[in-house]
Amino acid sequence: MNTMVGGSVSSTRIGAVRAIARRVPGAPREGARVFVLSTAKRPTGAARLMTGWRSGNRWGTRVRASKDDETAVKDVEKRRRAHPLDDETAPSTASTPADRDVADDEPVNLVEEFKRGMDFGNSMKERFTTARIDDRGLPIADALVCVTASVFVATMVLALGIPRPSWLVPAPWVPRWRSLPFLVPAVSHGTKLAACWIPGALAARAYESEAYDGSVEEAVSRTVKGGCFAIGILILITQFSLTAQFAAKGMPPPQLGDSYETDLILNGAASELIADSFFEAVALIGWRIVRCKTDIPPDDPSNTRWYD
């Protein structure tokens, strides 16, 4: 009776192993397998006593089941080798450590990589040296938009009584009539922002006809790309300006945490940079959308003026 119950439990486990033994996806080819050793329910009552779950015979059934499992595993492996297409598991596309080692060991053609880098550098240089500007008045219009946005920000700051940015300082040589002394620094600051935007627009090819005569999505995309380039230039200019100011006073380049005053200066510069980027982005994106939806005749190479 004890032998019959033990045999039935063992055969149940063998059947479960044959049914659900599978290869682990993405594992190495040899040795990495996961098997469910048993799905049979735990015996209860008299069957539990007869199979040795309570006493020292507890491990005897497991030893016999593990031997049977090894036999079942060998059978599954032989069947898979004989009929590889019968395996229900989809082939894994994940790279194994061995595959990654092989990929790392592949030789790299340094000459070809150098040529690709040179070609990319030349293509980027050509965006500035041989830029294609289909509308010769568009760079001037962009510059005017940048200056107008700066003047608008200065006007709102003075009208609302908001703390003035560091660049909005009245010119002492301008007659003090209304807010006229603040016009010069506003125009000067807008000119600096326009000088940052023009190289960004060239890098993003924002002066080609596809950038303003195509779709609105393309116009906005190129404007954003040029704006990112312009913000990078503005960040560099701000860093050099702060370093020069501190060097003029015999101080090292400023860093956060040096002092309370230094932190105030750096935080103020960062706030102004964020505000400039936001307002210029809104103004330029709005202008480029209007330009894209406006029917303006293209430049005629035979005429110096487009309205002739």
Side-chain angles (χ1 to χ4, degrees):
M1 184 69 176
N2 190 4
T3 304
M4 292 176 62
V5 175
S8 63
V9 173
S10 178
S11 61
T12 303
R13 295 184 177 183
I14 293 173
V17 169
R18 290 180 178 179
I20 64 174
R22 292 290 184 272
R23 183 185 294 269
V24 178
R29 296 183 178 179
E30 296 182 359
R33 296 176 182 278
V34 175
F35 297 98
V36 179
L37 297 180
S38 176
T39 57
K41 294 183 179 180
R42 197 178 214 186
T44 57
R48 182 175 182 179
L49 295 175
M50 297 176 65
T51 53
W53 278 83
R54 184 184 296 273
S55 60
N57 193 25
R58 176 180 179 182
W59 301 102
T61 304
R62 290 195 174 184
V63 172
R64 290 194 300 271
S66 63
K67 292 181 180 179
D68 294 335
D69 292 341
E70 292 177 359
T71 304
V73 169
K74 292 179 180 179
D75 294 340
V76 172
E77 185 66 21
K78 290 179 180 180
R79 185 167 58 254
R80 183 179 289 111
R81 291 177 180 176
H83 304 283
L85 298 179
D86 294 341
D87 190 4
E88 298 177 357
T89 305
S92 175
T93 58
S95 60
T96 61
D99 296 337
R100 288 193 293 268
D101 294 339
V102 173
D104 294 339
D105 294 339
E106 291 181 357
V108 178
N109 193 338
L110 299 180
V111 177
E112 293 295 332
E113 295 297 330
F114 179 76
K115 290 181 179 179
R116 292 177 182 175
M118 291 295 297
D119 293 339
F120 177 77
N122 292 331
S123 64
M124 293 300 297
K125 183 178 66 174
E126 291 175 356
R127 296 190 180 188
F128 299 95
T129 58
T130 60
R132 180 163 64 93
I133 302 178
D134 295 329
D135 186 357
R136 292 188 293 270
L138 189 57
I140 300 176
D142 288 347
L144 291 176
V145 170
C146 292
V147 174
T148 303
S150 179
V151 173
F152 173 78
V153 171
T155 303
M156 296 301 297
V157 167
L158 295 175
L160 298 177
I162 302 174
R164 298 196 300 264
S166 61
W167 52 267
L168 192 57
V169 179
W173 49 271
V174 177
R176 295 184 176 277
W177 181 73
R178 291 178 172 269
S179 298
L180 186 61
F182 295 96
L183 181 61
V184 175
V187 173
S188 175
H189 186 69
T191 304
K192 182 181 74 172
L193 297 178
C196 295
W197 160 253
I198 298 298
L202 293 176
R205 296 181 297 183
Y207 293 126
E208 299 179 359
S209 59
E210 296 81 4
Y212 55 84
D213 279 341
S215 62
V216 176
E217 292 78 7
E218 183 66 19
V220 173
S221 175
R222 296 203 186 189
T223 305
V224 171
K225 291 178 182 178
C228 293
F229 193 95
I231 290 174
I233 297 177
L234 184 60
I235 291 174
L236 292 178
I237 293 176
T238 303
Q239 291 178 342
F240 291 148
S241 176
L242 291 175
T243 302
Q245 291 177 9
F246 276 70
K249 299 178 181 180
M251 302 174 62
Q255 293 182 356
L256 283 175
D258 289 345
S259 63
Y260 178 74
E261 294 78 7
T262 302
D263 292 346
L264 285 179
I265 295 175
L266 294 180
N267 290 331
S271 302
E272 293 177 7
L273 194 149
I274 294 174
D276 290 337
S277 302
F278 174 76
F279 287 107
E280 292 295 329
V282 172
L284 286 170
I285 291 175
W287 153 241
R288 284 304 183 112
I289 293 176
V290 172
R291 176 65 180 82
C292 182
K293 293 186 176 182
T294 302
D295 187 13
I296 299 178
D299 288 341
D300 188 358
S302 61
N303 297 327
T304 58
R305 296 175 298 180
W306 65 269
Y307 52 83
D308 288 342

